Amino acid sequence: MGSITLTNVQKSYGAVHVLHDINLDIRAGEFVVFVGPSGCGKSTLLRVIAGLEKITGGELAIDGKRVNEVSAADRGLAMVFQSYALYPHMSVRQNLAFGLENSGMPKAEIAERIGEAARMLEIEQYMERRPGQLSGGQRQRVAIGRAIVRRPTAFLLDEPLSNLDAELRVSTRAEIAALHDRLKSTMIYVTHDQVEAMTLANRIVVMRAGKIEQVGAPLDLYNNPANRFVAGFIGAPHMNFIEGDVVESTGGTVVIKAANGEQFTAPVPLNGVTTGERLSVGIRPQHMGLSETGRGLPAKVRLVEALGSETVIHAEALGQKLLAIVPGQRHLSAGEAITLAYDGAPIHVFGANGQRVN
Amino acid sequence: MSQSQPATRPLAPAPKMSAASLALMPVHFIMGLADKPLRALQKAAGIGGMATFFLAPNMLIFSIFVLLPIIINIVYSLTGGTAIFLNERTFVGTDQYAHIFNCSNYLDPRSCQEDAFWTAVGNTFWFVVIQVTLLIVCSLITALILNRDLMARSFWRAVFFFPVLLSPVVVGLIWRWILQRQGLLNYILYPFGHDPVTWLSDRTVAFAAAVGVSIWAHMGFYTLILLAGLQAIPKDLYEAAEMDGTRAMRVFRRITLPLLMPNLLVVVVLALIKAVQVFDEVYVLTGGGPGTATQFLTQYIYETGFVSQPRNAGLAAAASILMGLVLVVLTLIQLGISKRNENKGKR
Amino acid sequence: MSRVTQFIFRRRGGKGWHWTDIATWVWLIGGLIIMFGPAVWLALSSFKTPAALAEFPPSILPYVSQQATVQGYDKPLTLFNATMPDGSTRVLAEVRRVGTVAQMVDPKAPAEIIKVNINQRTPVRSVSFSTENYVQPFLHFDFFRYLWNSVFVTVTATVITLVVNSMAAFALSKYEFKGRNAAMLVILATLMVPLSVILVPLYSIISTLGLFNNLWGVILPTVATPTGVFILRQYMLTIPDELIDAARMDKASEWQIYWRIVVPLTAPALAVLAIFSVVWRWNDFLWPLIVLSRRELYTLQVGLNIYSGELNVQWHFILAMTVVTMIPVVLVFIFLQRFITTGIAGTGLK
């Protein structure tokens, strides 16, 4: 129960296409996170699944049944909204009961379900309060509770943590993960925060401009981003990209020439690249180090951020800005010459069209 | 063992059934009954169809009682005779308008065939000019005073607002009672050696009374809007001006007036629209008299169409269309100003 | 000139009384007298007997001349304080008046006629509220009928206004549909067409519908107020769309969304509109005057006007009925004034 299949789903407002041919198969019980920059269509995709927006092309199926024409109320889904959308004039209890009453459930069962959800979310002591009398975190729980009591086929969560402060966000994130483990229902979660995506998801769907860029397990996306966009989006801080034209590609290395004329040698075997082709070589800041031996990429320090446990070095090499995160505390000053090491680092190479080539 | 209060103790007690919610129970019941058939309707019509359902009653009433009359009014003004129903009336083209505009000398209402109309136009014109001017001045002064750091400001605001709620009939009767021969005004003037006068039998006094009473009745409304405008001016502007040592007059001219201008313009146009339609309280106060001294356009339309024998609905319609044109222009100006104010607010 | 502007701007800041403060208070006190005075005067007058009303100069409070039944006279006689030639005063009853001389008797010794110059006597009076003025119209006129008609029109029109306008405002604020802008335009256009412009055709429509001389003919044309739709829509636009979505996910029908979610959340605006509607409908005059021509259908306003226009105006009844007509509005004013003033300040409607 709870599989959702999207086949060539399209959504457009007049001439504006918001979603292009979305194909996605969400398995029952899976925790899927839609992530992407704002305006990428991830929220629209969620609302399309919810039934709050009508799709303009393709097919949407829940548990194998086509639901294109089924209204939001009858899809058996529950949604947690970004603003929580609690009914301000109803008590917490009434908020939880409203949806159940609407489906004509017997009073005793309503009370039982509400009691259970309230215990699970530890909101029993504010059941008679109005949402206005609750803190942000409490409201958040009520919003989740309203979804839980429905026992939906799948939960849809639209940036549910974005209105919480940083500390609460971390703890609530963990609770949502625990909730998923416990309920084992399908959850679809929309966020623009890749940390939330990495920590919560079974699978992440990275979106950009109404298209799915890549779908995969969090570490798959981290380790093997399919394109430059995903590589840049997943992981913090962003991956370093060294841009240049291929000078030569032999055996296990490729040499590229940056715009300022300097050359860079990347130890990756590449097939089928031609001389002169534009490449981006990506190395995560965490995989860059300071060379002890003098072998590596000569660079100049621009700025040093000492975080205590690690040091973030903003450097310039090949006329481009690079970031390196090294463990421990380093005493460096701006203007100092260093050598950046990348021996053994995972190296991602992307072609001119942004697709991965290695 | 003492236990500390849990931090999440409920703030409010469980809400009890209030009297209001009890009173609303039958309403809820009825509205609940309506849900079943309306769910069926929603199934058939879709969510978009429900929008039409929600809009329909209002639109129906609008169409029958506002839109249709506008159209009929134009047709009416092109017909003659004394019948009420359109199909019984004879088409006369623009005769009604020609009748209205049939004057030998356009500067003298008495030279017109329909002199009562032009007298009413003239009266209305002077009423509008004098009443609106005085009304705005009084409202502005009152608003400025109420915007001072007063004790019990809301009480004083209420004082000036009180007559706004009174019905025009009550307003008219109150002042008729005061202005009559045995009235309060004569009594007040008596000690100053003023012999009792029947005030409203004098043409000039009656007109002045019409102006004064309508100002009395409506001033509070405009004061309120202007006061809201004054209070919306940020206090720090005045503080900044004070820091700069700006002279008070300059502050008024350079800060208060320009920032109040949007409200002032709206108030002026609103007052104009109201003044053009002046009828109720003046009609009760003077009945249009003495003679025709306080007969205004709306009264002319009312009397031509409903009181005079035989009724002349065609002529009344033509006159009302002429008045409607003036009002449409004024309303468009007002909407234009409001729109501009809104856009300013956005920027 | 700067004095004038100081008058406008300077706050009372512990600097003692500036003349501008005095001017302010003169204006305020003057306003108090002019705004409240007439209504108070009317209310006081309404308790006077017809005789006291005809008096000039009038008294502030309602007085009644005292009368006494004197032996030997059929009718009660009016009592006076008479100043005797020796300077003493006695309470005498007036039998008749001849020229400037009043023939009076002492109630205790009715046999002897005392002649007193009319300037030497003043009536014995006491404050007395003539509630007759109020009772009579209820008993012998159709006043109760008018009152009922007014209440019926006001309540019915207000209820319909609230329901119909809130439904329209809901459709116009929470749905996207073809013709929404057209509907908004139509409503806007009706703002420009006040009643006074469409009197004649509206009358013909009411007659065609058979609503002439029918209270529904008074009610129906007033209920679709464009201003009502506007304030409600404005308010509903502030209700987050996510709430509506949430309700849809909660299996609420559109009607339930309207009734269970939107209407309760619009309560403040509905309250303002309700107050306005009550005041508007209670005070309506011209339209009921046209539609209602049978006495038993008159609303208070029409009835009052008709009575006050009769040849021998019975002011004592008119005044009392005016006061009764004023009462609901005064109650609204006392208890809901704050609502109304903020409503006007916020929306600029009347």
Side-chain angles (χ1 to χ4, degrees):
Chain A
M1 282 295 279
S3 71
I4 296 169
T5 314
L6 292 85
T7 317
N8 293 328
V9 165
Q10 295 173 357
K11 172 72 190 171
S12 51
Y13 299 102
V16 186
H17 294 276
V18 190
L19 297 174
H20 309 262
D21 288 325
I22 302 286
N23 286 291
L24 186 63
D25 197 350
I26 298 168
R27 293 181 288 271
E30 201 175 13
F31 198 125
V32 173
V33 176
F34 296 167
V35 71
S38 56
C40 70
K42 56 189 190 296
S43 283
T44 309
L45 184 55
L46 192 74
R47 292 171 60 81
V48 158
I49 295 172
L52 294 170
E53 308 272 356
K54 277 220 161 75
I55 59 177
T56 44
E59 192 188 81
L60 181 70
I62 297 177
D63 288 330
K65 272 185 286 240
R66 177 187 160 96
V67 293
N68 284 22
E69 286 78 28
V70 178
S71 72
D74 300 328
R75 288 191 187 185
L77 308 173
M79 187 153 168
V80 177
F81 291 87
Q82 181 170 10
S83 67
Y84 314 140
L86 300 177
Y87 311 121
H89 58 299
M90 298 185 191
S91 69
V92 170
R93 186 182 301 283
Q94 288 166 327
N95 262 284
L96 298 187
F98 186 66
L100 302 179
E101 285 167 358
N102 288 339
S103 55
M105 187 179 285
K107 281 211 158 78
E109 195 180 348
I110 294 179
E112 186 200 314
R113 284 202 188 184
I114 290 177
E116 186 188 344
R119 269 193 305 282
M120 193 190 298
L121 295 166
E122 297 170 4
I123 53 175
E124 288 142 304
Q125 64 270 51
Y126 10 91
M127 292 307 279
E128 307 308 330
R129 287 200 211 169
R130 297 265 172 99
Q133 299 165 305
L134 301 177
S135 71
Q138 291 164 343
R139 274 181 232 179
Q140 223 277 336
R141 283 158 179 275
V142 176
I144 292 175
R146 187 169 66 179
I148 288 176
V149 292
R150 296 270 313 280
R151 305 223 173 122
T153 321
F155 289 88
L156 311 176
L157 300 99
D158 188 4
E159 308 217 16
L161 304 184
S162 61
N163 284 337
L164 300 179
D165 61 44
E167 202 180 324
L168 207 51
R169 203 176 300 174
V170 173
S171 61
T172 314
R173 201 169 71 200
E175 285 178 34
I176 291 179
L179 198 68
H180 178 245
D181 283 346
R182 185 167 168 179
L183 296 172
K184 305 213 174 353
S185 330
T186 311
M187 287 193 179
I188 304 176
Y189 186 110
V190 164
T191 182
H192 62 266
D193 178 357
Q194 51 99 15
V195 178
E196 280 174 25
M198 294 295 284
T199 50
L200 285 170
N202 297 134
R203 276 200 301 162
I204 295 178
V205 177
V206 183
M207 293 184 66
R208 179 170 63 153
K211 290 196 177 80
I212 292 180
E213 293 283 329
Q214 192 176 0
V215 182
L219 289 182
D220 279 350
L221 296 191
Y222 187 83
N223 294 331
N224 294 302
N227 53 48
R228 215 195 123 153
F229 175 76
V230 176
F233 194 81
I234 302 288
H238 296 322
M239 186 182 277
N240 293 310
F241 291 108
I242 298 162
E243 317 274 350
D245 301 331
V246 175
V247 177
E248 60 166 329
S249 171
T250 56
T253 58
V254 61
V255 180
I256 58 170
K257 190 168 87 179
N260 71 345
E262 290 173 39
Q263 293 196 343
F264 173 72
T265 308
V268 272
L270 285 182
N271 298 322
V273 286
T274 50
T275 308
E277 189 181 334
R278 168 62 57 99
L279 289 182
S280 298
V281 176
I283 306 171
R284 295 199 183 275
Q286 291 84 349
H287 298 148
M288 287 219 166
L290 286 177
S291 173
E292 316 273 296
T293 62
R295 246 171 55 91
L297 182 59
K300 193 184 257 180
V301 176
R302 304 289 303 261
L303 176 71
V304 180
E305 295 171 324
L307 302 178
S309 64
E310 57 187 25
T311 306
V312 181
I313 302 165
H314 295 251
E316 189 181 308
L318 305 163
Q320 296 168 23
K321 283 178 192 160
L322 296 177
L323 220 61
I325 298 179
V326 293
Q329 302 175 359
R330 306 297 171 103
H331 298 282
L332 293 169
S333 48
E336 205 169 315
I338 53 169
T339 308
L340 292 171
Y342 50 93
D343 283 346
I347 291 179
H348 315 271
V349 185
F350 304 100
N353 61 0
Q355 293 305 309
R356 189 183 186 92
V357 292
N358 70 318
Chain B
M1 196 179 109
S2 74
Q3 205 174 2
S4 64
Q5 290 262 341
T8 47
R9 198 170 54 90
L11 290 172
K16 293 196 190 85
M17 280 291 235
S18 66
S21 71
L22 269 176
L24 279 175
M25 267 173 62
V27 185
H28 267 295
F29 181 72
I30 295 167
M31 291 302 201
L33 281 187
D35 189 46
K36 250 209 179 103
L38 288 175
R39 251 178 213 270
L41 178 67
Q42 186 180 332
K43 266 236 151 65
I47 286 179
M50 289 305 283
T52 317
F53 163 77
F54 283 115
L55 200 55
N58 209 51
M59 279 299 153
L60 188 72
I61 295 173
F62 261 141
S63 327
I64 296 178
F65 296 113
V66 183
L67 288 187
L68 196 57
I70 295 174
I71 299 162
I72 295 183
N73 210 16
I74 297 169
V75 181
Y76 246 107
S77 72
L78 301 175
T79 59
T82 54
I84 296 169
F85 297 104
L86 266 185
N87 50 0
E88 296 163 15
R89 297 179 61 85
T90 46
F91 184 78
V92 296
T94 55
D95 278 9
Q96 304 285 11
Y97 295 96
H99 177 68
I100 285 178
F101 285 101
N102 183 5
C103 299
S104 50
N105 174 3
Y106 280 98
L107 293 175
D108 183 6
R110 279 163 302 179
S111 72
C112 298
Q113 199 181 352
E114 189 58 28
D115 58 338
F117 174 79
W118 291 105
T119 309
V121 168
N123 284 343
T124 309
F125 175 79
W126 287 114
F127 180 86
V128 168
V129 170
I130 299 170
Q131 194 252 14
V132 172
T133 311
L134 292 177
L135 180 67
I136 297 301
V137 170
C138 289
S139 303
L140 186 58
I141 292 176
T142 312
L144 286 170
I145 284 182
L146 290 179
N147 195 37
R148 300 185 91 206
D149 193 12
L150 279 180
M151 262 196 294
R153 173 156 51 191
S154 50
F155 167 76
W156 292 110
R157 194 182 54 188
V159 165
F160 287 92
F161 184 71
F162 171 68
V164 174
L165 293 179
L166 294 181
S167 89
V169 176
V170 168
V171 168
L173 286 176
I174 287 181
W175 284 98
R176 230 170 92 186
W177 176 240
I178 288 174
L179 294 174
Q180 65 155 342
R181 201 181 156 80
Q182 290 102 336
L184 188 62
L185 186 63
N186 279 327
Y187 175 46
I188 293 171
L189 295 177
Y190 190 59
F192 303 99
H194 193 284
D195 284 331
V197 183
T198 311
W199 293 102
L200 293 176
S201 63
D202 181 279
R203 295 181 68 91
T204 319
V205 175
F207 191 85
V211 170
V213 167
S214 74
I215 291 175
W216 180 82
H218 301 298
M219 188 182 120
F221 172 72
Y222 301 99
T223 301
L224 218 56
I225 300 185
L226 289 177
L227 182 61
L230 284 175
Q231 287 176 339
I233 300 176
K235 290 278 168 287
D236 45 359
L237 284 184
Y238 289 113
E239 282 159 13
E242 203 171 328
M243 296 295 286
D244 294 342
T246 317
R247 293 225 336 269
M249 189 62 209
R250 220 175 129 73
V251 173
F252 180 72
R253 285 234 313 270
R254 303 300 295 271
I255 297 178
T256 309
L257 213 50
L259 288 174
L260 189 63
M261 202 41 91
N263 295 63
L264 205 55
L265 284 175
V266 168
V267 162
V268 168
V269 182
L270 277 180
L272 285 173
I273 292 172
K274 277 271 165 227
V276 170
Q277 302 172 61
V278 58
F279 172 72
D280 297 1
E281 62 262 3
V282 175
Y283 180 70
V284 177
L285 184 73
T286 67
T292 54
T294 55
Q295 188 160 63
F296 300 113
L297 257 178
T298 304
Q299 189 183 347
Y300 170 81
I301 295 168
Y302 166 63
E303 294 196 332
T304 309
F306 299 97
V307 179
S308 68
Q309 292 297 338
R311 294 172 167 203
N312 196 340
L315 191 59
S320 71
I321 283 178
L322 294 176
M323 179 163 101
L325 289 178
V326 175
L327 291 173
V328 165
V329 170
L330 286 173
T331 312
L332 287 177
I333 293 174
Q334 187 223 335
L335 290 175
I337 296 171
S338 303
K339 191 135 246 172
R340 217 181 58 195
N341 293 350
E342 240 168 65
N343 291 342
K344 258 187 205 157
K346 272 180 201 144
R347 253 178 263 139
Chain C
M1 216 35 208
S2 76
R3 280 293 173 84
V4 175
T5 51
Q6 272 190 353
F7 155 61
I8 292 163
F9 295 111
R10 287 285 172 255
R11 298 275 159 78
R12 199 154 45 80
K15 282 182 288 186
W17 279 74
H18 192 259
W19 71 265
T20 58
D21 291 311
I22 297 166
T24 295
W25 284 100
V26 167
W27 185 273
L28 290 176
I29 303 289
L32 183 69
I33 294 168
I34 291 174
M35 294 295 158
F36 275 146
V40 172
W41 175 245
L42 179 91
L44 286 174
S45 302
S46 75
F47 288 102
K48 291 179 178 175
T49 60
L53 284 177
E55 229 170 66
F56 189 87
S59 58
I60 299 288
L61 290 172
Y63 285 103
V64 165
S65 299
Q66 284 200 341
Q67 295 187 317
T69 319
V70 182
Q71 211 184 351
Y73 297 91
D74 297 338
K75 286 186 191 162
L77 301 177
T78 312
L79 292 177
F80 286 85
N81 280 316
T83 312
M84 295 287 100
D86 59 2
S88 67
T89 54
R90 293 170 66 183
V91 177
L92 299 177
E94 184 173 278
V95 178
R96 67 178 74 81
R97 204 181 121 186
V98 182
T100 59
V101 178
Q103 301 186 356
M104 309 186 97
V105 293
D106 190 324
K108 285 163 202 143
E112 179 200 4
I113 297 271
I114 306 162
K115 287 185 179 164
V116 182
N117 188 294
I118 55 165
N119 291 328
Q120 300 295 314
R121 82 212 201 319
T122 51
V124 177
R125 305 198 302 179
S126 62
V127 175
S128 153
F129 291 89
S130 167
T131 47
E132 274 290 279
N133 297 349
Y134 287 84
V135 177
Q136 285 297 322
F138 275 102
L139 294 180
H140 299 292
F141 297 83
D142 298 330
F143 188 68
F144 202 75
R145 191 81 229 167
Y146 304 163
L147 186 64
W148 164 249
N149 290 339
S150 269
V151 169
F152 177 78
V153 167
T154 303
V155 171
T156 315
T158 299
V159 168
I160 300 179
T161 300
L162 290 180
V163 173
V164 167
N165 285 7
S166 64
M167 279 169 67
F170 176 49
L172 292 171
S173 61
K174 292 296 169 204
Y175 292 95
E176 296 278 348
F177 58 93
K178 259 185 249 156
R180 190 171 88 161
N181 290 335
M184 284 300 290
L185 258 178
V186 166
I187 294 173
L188 200 67
T190 59
L191 270 179
M192 294 182 217
V193 192
L195 178 74
S196 47
V197 175
I198 52 171
L199 282 182
V200 178
L202 195 54
Y203 173 79
S204 78
I205 286 173
I206 290 291
S207 305
T208 312
L209 294 175
L211 294 175
F212 180 69
N213 263 331
N214 186 324
L215 290 178
W216 288 99
V218 177
I219 294 168
L220 286 178
T222 61
V223 295
T225 60
T227 29
V229 176
F230 273 116
I231 34 171
L232 294 179
R233 175 172 178 269
Q234 220 57 28
Y235 198 89
M236 286 180 188
L237 285 175
T238 66
I239 297 176
D241 288 347
E242 278 199 344
L243 271 185
I244 313 284
D245 288 339
R248 285 198 185 126
M249 296 295 289
D250 267 345
K251 293 174 177 290
S253 68
E254 299 304 301
W255 175 253
Q256 272 181 312
I257 292 174
Y258 161 74
W259 178 244
R260 299 280 311 270
I261 311 287
V262 173
V263 167
L265 292 177
T266 316
L270 284 170
V272 170
L273 180 61
I275 296 168
F276 275 107
S277 174
V278 165
V279 174
W280 287 333
R281 299 294 81 89
W282 185 262
N283 290 347
D284 269 345
F285 173 57
L286 178 56
W287 184 239
L289 183 68
I290 288 171
V291 175
L292 307 173
S293 74
R294 291 219 313 266
R295 266 186 183 248
E296 68 268 26
L297 289 172
Y298 287 166
T299 59
L300 273 182
Q301 313 293 343
V302 178
L304 259 186
N305 180 61
I306 300 288
Y307 268 130
S308 72
E310 275 169 1
L311 267 180
N312 44 3
V313 183
Q314 296 181 297
W315 270 109
H316 53 297
F317 291 146
I318 298 288
L319 294 175
M321 290 193 280
T322 309
V323 170
V324 174
T325 310
M326 243 165 61
I327 286 173
V329 170
V330 171
L331 288 180
V332 164
F333 173 77
I334 292 172
F335 294 108
L336 304 170
Q337 184 259 130
R338 198 167 284 267
F339 259 109
I340 302 175
T341 47
T342 47
I344 288 180
T347 58
L349 93 166
K350 183 180 179 184

